[in-house]
Amino acid sequence: IQLMKRFLAILMIMVPMTLMAQKSAFDTFFEKYSGKEDYTTVDLSTDFLKMIMGFSDEKDDDINELVSNIDRIRIVVCQENNPVFAEEATKLVTNNKEYKQITNVNSGGEVTRIHVIQKQNKVTDFMLISTGKTECVVINIVGKNLDVSKVSNLSKNMQIKL
C-alpha cells in the first residue's frame, strides 16, 4: 500500500508538469521563425488588444465582444516565397485533424485558406494561411468563442489585410 501511495503521489506531480510542458504545433512553428532574418513575428495578447480598442474613437460592441473572447493573436510573415515555410504552415492544419477548412480563395497566384477548430459549436482556434508569389502569412487566433465574421471587422480596425 505504501508503494502504491508513493506511485500515485509521483504520478500526481508528474502529470500536471507534463501537460504544462506540451507545446502546440503552432507554438513550435512560431518559435522557429521568431527573430530570424526575412521573417516577421507578432504576438498580441488579449490585454494589448483591449488597450488598443480603448484608444479607438469607435465603440463597436461586436468588436469589444470579440476581443474579450480572444486569448492571443500570433502572426508569422515570410517576406519571400519560401516553399519550405509554406509547406510547414500547411502542415499545421493538415496534421491536426481538429482543423476544418472553411474557405479557400485562389486569386492571381495567391492562395488563402482559413481553418478553424470548433469545440461545442464554438470556434476556439482560427488559422489563416496565405501563400503568394512574394510572401507567406500565417495568422493564428486562439480564444474562447471566436465569431469568424467579426474577425474580419477586427482586422479592419487594426488595419490588417486579410
Side-chain angles (χ1 to χ4, degrees), residues 21-30 74 92 96 125 140 142:
Q22 291 180 348
K23 291 183 184 179
S24 74
F26 190 84
D27 292 337
T28 303
F29 177 79
F30 187 86
R74 290 184 292 177
L92 290 171
N96 184 336
D125 198 301
N140 181 237
V142 177

Side-chain angles (χ1 to χ4, degrees), residues 2 4 17 19-20 27 51 54 57 69 78 83-86 96 103 105 108 110 113 116-117 120 122 126 133 137 158:
Q2 286 295 349
M4 181 63 99
M17 290 172 59
L19 292 175
M20 288 184 344
D27 292 337
M51 183 180 73
D57 292 335
N69 284 319
C78 176
V84 173
F85 177 85
N96 184 336
T103 190
V105 178
E110 185 171 302
R113 294 182 178 95
V116 297
I117 294 177
Q120 300 169 349
K122 295 180 179 181
F126 170 96
K133 294 176 184 173
V137 179
M158 294 183 69

Side-chain angles (χ1 to χ4, degrees), residues 26 29-31 33-36 39-45 48-49 52 72-79 137-141 158 160:
F26 190 84
F29 177 79
F30 187 86
E31 289 172 8
Y33 292 104
S34 187
K36 287 197 170 183
Y39 297 90
T40 302
T41 54
V42 180
D43 189 350
L44 306 172
S45 70
F48 178 77
L49 295 171
I52 293 298
R72 180 180 228 171
I73 297 175
R74 290 184 292 177
I75 303 167
V76 182
V77 179
C78 176
Q79 281 120 12
V137 179
V138 181
I139 300 173
N140 181 237
I141 303 174
M158 294 183 69
I160 298 171

Side-chain angles (χ1 to χ4, degrees), residues 87-108:
E87 183 179 330
E88 286 180 18
T90 300
K91 284 182 179 179
L92 290 171
V93 292
T94 59
N95 288 348
N96 184 336
K97 301 300 179 206
E98 289 185 285
Y99 277 106
K100 178 175 83 173
Q101 183 173 313
I102 60 170
T103 190
N104 181 12
V105 178
N106 191 342
S107 175

